Amino acid sequence: MDDRQLSFETDMVGLDTNAWLAELDGLCDDLGFFEQLGSSHFAGFLEAGNDLLVTFETVDQARLHNVDSEPRGFAYARHDGWSHLCLLSMGESWFRDKAVCDFFDRLVDDGFFEDFERIIFYGANGAGYAAAAFSVAAPGATVIALRPQATLDARLTGWDPRFKAARKQSFRGRYGYAPEMIDGAQSVFIVYDPVQRLDAAHAALFHKPHVTPLPCPLLGKEIDRAFDRMGIHDVMLKLAMEGALDGKRFTQLLRARRYDQTYVRTLVNWLMMNEHRKLAVILCDYMLQRGQDKFFAETRAALLTSDEAYRRPENP
């Protein structure tokens, strides 16, 4: 398989779910394949070069938040010549459908992954779990999982009270416990917010020697969207495909958060909540030097006013 960029255009912005899937179906049929897996999952493949990006996303996440409303890997097929396999779900499903498991079994039996030199499995949240869990199908792959759950099996993570509806699914058997499914991966990057205690607990279960934890304090539950705002998602994936991503490079990328107002506002609120008022004022000053913003101006004024009232002696 020779490296080649794919020349294609899409018109997916503003489409409803059915029209969006129909557009995806037609495009993938022309350039690879498209399959419906059971009642609520889909697989689309674009055949390009020797590098393969496997992504797991929900249909709504791709439609509403991705650039041009495309699956995340389309840009890499178009500009970098990567082949792209996208797994899509209707809603947050953790991809625990038998039809999805059967699909990966079939890919393994057909030697699908053997045609590629470098492979990345990528996903966020429930799709991050899936990226780690299904990576066992492609030994030697790189895994990038943002805020993944290790499993929702109550025997192992009964301490997590979230995701009650999803826990009705079986997380046992094939492709079940994600921290065990990564054994054959070359490298695994687990991205999480350590301030989110339950997310940090799941991340800690991925403790193999080839796992690199990538903590992102105060980025919260939508780390993927934060990375998009900061413009580091693309760089991270390209470094991973080159085999150049590590903790140091990621920390350098994460410095971009200082320019993300959503993150800085969260940090200011955290500083105030933890009684670091002087630091909060300094941060507001820094942001106001870069441009006027109502939040930082009003927060700074409130902090200085309250501090002055605190220091003022009471009248005798």
Side-chain angles (χ1 to χ4, degrees):
M1 187 184 298
D2 297 327
D3 289 336
R4 60 187 179 91
Q5 297 176 345
L6 295 183
S7 178
F8 64 93
E9 296 181 357
T10 62
D11 184 17
M12 305 178 79
V13 176
L15 298 181
D16 64 24
T17 298
N18 289 334
W20 188 88
L21 287 169
E23 176 77 9
L24 186 63
D25 186 350
L27 179 66
C28 290
D29 270 347
D30 290 339
L31 300 175
F33 65 75
F34 185 85
E35 293 186 28
Q36 181 165 350
L37 309 175
S39 61
S40 58
H41 294 85
F42 307 86
F45 176 62
L46 300 179
E47 182 177 356
N50 294 322
D51 298 333
L52 173 67
L53 175 63
V54 183
T55 62
F56 296 79
E57 301 181 85
T58 69
V59 171
D60 283 347
Q61 171 72 28
R63 285 178 52 241
L64 302 177
H65 301 303
N66 287 1
V67 175
D68 295 328
S69 296
E70 296 178 339
R72 186 171 293 277
F74 272 34
Y76 302 100
R78 184 183 292 118
H79 301 301
D80 299 284
W82 297 359
S83 294
H84 174 45
L85 176 63
C86 61
L87 280 296
L88 297 159
S89 67
M90 299 293 290
E92 192 73 281
S93 71
W94 282 261
F95 294 85
R96 291 305 301 162
D97 190 309
K98 181 179 181 298
V100 178
C101 296
D102 291 343
F103 173 73
F104 275 94
D105 287 345
R106 178 156 43 91
L107 293 182
V108 172
D109 291 342
D110 292 344
F112 174 83
F113 294 108
E114 297 172 9
D115 292 334
F116 301 98
E117 292 182 5
R118 295 177 291 190
I119 302 173
I120 291 176
F121 278 68
Y122 166 89
N125 308 316
Y129 157 82
F134 287 104
S135 69
V136 70
T142 294
V143 178
I144 301 178
L146 279 57
R147 190 179 170 253
Q149 290 76 52
T151 178
L152 297 188
D153 187 342
R155 298 175 307 161
L156 300 173
T157 58
W159 37 263
D160 186 347
R162 304 171 298 175
F163 318 121
K164 292 182 179 179
R167 287 180 179 278
K168 297 176 182 178
Q169 304 179 90
S170 173
F171 282 79
R172 306 179 189 182
R174 291 180 299 162
Y175 309 104
Y177 184 51
E180 290 183 350
M181 298 298 102
I182 61 171
D183 282 353
Q186 178 177 350
S187 54
V188 179
F189 299 94
I190 303 297
V191 187
Y192 67 101
D193 181 348
V195 178
Q196 302 288 325
R197 295 179 62 186
L198 293 174
D199 289 348
H202 279 281
L205 296 175
F206 294 87
H207 54 73
K208 305 289 184 178
H210 61 309
V211 173
T212 301
L214 300 176
C216 300
L218 300 179
L219 287 193
K221 299 178 180 180
E222 295 181 338
I223 295 177
D224 52 338
R225 295 176 65 181
F227 283 2
D228 285 335
R229 291 195 308 270
M230 291 186 279
I232 67 173
H233 231 142
D234 181 62
V235 181
M236 177 183 68
L237 287 171
K238 288 184 177 181
L239 285 172
M241 190 65 83
E242 295 168 1
L245 182 63
D246 57 23
K248 182 178 180 181
R249 297 295 296 273
F250 179 79
T251 299
Q252 293 171 344
L253 292 178
L254 199 58
R255 292 174 182 169
R257 61 186 174 180
R258 71 184 73 176
Y259 306 112
D260 177 32
Q261 290 200 354
T262 300
Y263 165 77
V264 179
R265 288 172 183 166
T266 301
L267 178 56
V268 168
N269 286 327
W270 184 88
L271 289 170
M272 291 191 296
M273 183 176 65
N274 288 276
E275 301 299 326
H276 299 298
R277 302 168 67 84
K278 291 183 179 180
L279 289 176
V281 171
I282 291 171
L283 192 52
C284 287
D285 285 338
Y286 169 74
M287 295 301 292
L288 290 170
Q289 289 172 7
R290 298 181 55 238
Q292 290 299 312
D293 182 276
K294 183 178 180 181
F295 170 84
F296 297 113
E298 292 182 351
T299 300
R300 180 183 185 278
L303 285 167
L304 293 177
T305 299
S306 60
D307 283 351
E308 180 64 27
Y310 178 77
R311 291 193 297 267
R312 187 182 303 129
E314 296 182 4
N315 293 326

